[in-house]
Amino acid sequence: MIKIAPSILSADFSKLGEEVKRLDKGGADIVHIDVMDGHFVPNITIGPLVVKAIRPYTRLPFDVHLMMDNPMEFVDAYVEAGADSITVHAEVLPHLHRAIHYIKGLGVKAAVALNPSTPLNVLEYVLGDVDMVLLMTVNPGFGGQKFITAMMDKIRKLADMRSTYGADFCIQVDGGIGLHNIRDVVKAGAEVIVAGSAVFGAQDIKGIIEAMRQEAKL
Ligand code: DX5
Ligand code: ZN
């Protein structure tokens, strides 16, 4: 059963609490929170204060995606603010194994994200440690971008890698996903689907989430 994780990057930032409530009522499984520091990616978004402010609006898990140069300096703050899962980018962490175990030591799920050009083999020695792998299917920094078609094969390869190594992490995909391609990414092996513009661009959040679930049924 796939999980739909709308990204609040595409929400109305003047009423984020209400928007999170809309996701909850609309049947989302997870709230994907895109944190950007203006260095790792050319955009600045959400600090721990904001996560703390929206935490009371839903009991849905907060999946915090740290697109930052120095994520380990802020992991504690986001967990205290209410994160249930923390995603860090392999590209900025020479000590990835230690980072994963530090995050898990805080009692939350640990995920590793790879940018589109980053090869899967950086994960080879942490496949048994991560709870989730996030494959960026756009270059991170903005919502509303086009899915990079070469990523379809990368999803398949990650699913193969998981079975070859007998690992059991979830496969999450993020960027440019909507009704037009959700079936293909799920067929390729994606299990947690991040969608920002596809969800918040729709009038009826419940309707679009339901339609995405239907479309993803293989
Ligand atoms: C991009 C973010 C994504 C983005 C997805 O840097 O990590 O989560 O918000 O937005 P859409 O679904 O509009 O591509
Ligand atoms: Zn994201």
Side-chain angles (χ1 to χ4, degrees):
M1 169 77 163
I2 62 149
K3 291 200 183 322
I4 305 285
S7 161
I8 59 171
L9 183 65
S10 301
D12 178 343
F13 268 58
S14 72
K15 48 184 184 181
L16 268 186
E18 292 313 313
E19 294 283 79
V20 163
K21 227 168 51 202
R22 256 189 348 134
L23 290 183
D24 193 321
K25 289 207 171 14
D29 297 298
I30 297 167
V31 178
H32 184 79
I33 298 175
D34 283 311
V35 174
M36 301 182 187
D37 67 354
H39 293 277
F40 181 68
V41 291
N43 198 352
I44 296 178
T45 56
I46 293 173
L49 264 183
V50 178
V51 174
K52 188 164 185 256
I54 60 175
R55 181 66 274 181
Y57 283 80
T58 177
R59 298 166 64 84
L60 288 179
F62 278 3
D63 160 35
V64 176
H65 177 193
L66 297 180
M67 288 163 273
M68 310 173 79
D69 272 349
N70 54 347
M72 299 317 290
E73 285 176 38
F74 290 90
V75 164
D76 291 74
Y78 280 100
V79 171
E80 267 145 53
D84 299 283
S85 171
I86 294 276
T87 302
V88 288
H89 271 262
E91 295 88 358
V92 294
L93 288 167
H95 303 292
L96 185 58
H97 181 275
R98 183 168 65 194
I100 291 163
H101 286 278
Y102 180 81
I103 293 166
K104 291 172 85 164
L106 296 176
V108 299
K109 293 213 179 305
V112 176
L114 301 183
N115 286 332
S117 61
T118 305
L120 292 173
N121 62 10
V122 300
L123 298 168
E124 194 166 348
Y125 294 99
V126 292
L127 290 172
D129 303 280
V130 287
D131 295 305
M132 182 164 75
V133 172
L134 165 53
L135 294 184
M136 290 309 297
T137 44
V138 294
N139 291 301
F142 300 93
Q145 300 180 84
K146 208 173 148 331
F147 182 92
I148 299 172
T149 41
M151 295 299 106
M152 206 61 88
D153 191 46
K154 191 175 182 181
I155 302 167
R156 272 191 283 273
K157 285 205 171 78
L158 180 61
D160 293 346
M161 203 172 174
R162 179 174 61 182
S163 40
T164 309
Y165 284 83
D168 64 357
F169 56 84
C170 296
I171 297 177
Q172 183 181 42
V173 289
D174 183 3
I177 296 170
L179 273 185
H180 65 293
N181 60 5
I182 188 169
R183 191 177 178 75
D184 294 338
V185 297
V186 170
K187 240 192 293 185
E191 293 149 332
V192 183
I193 313 295
V194 176
S197 47
V199 172
F200 284 103
Q203 278 310 319
D204 167 16
I205 287 197
K206 195 172 177 58
I208 188 68
I209 289 178
E210 200 29 60
M212 287 173 87
R213 284 196 206 286
Q214 287 310 319
E215 189 55 31
K217 277 204 172 88
L218 302 181

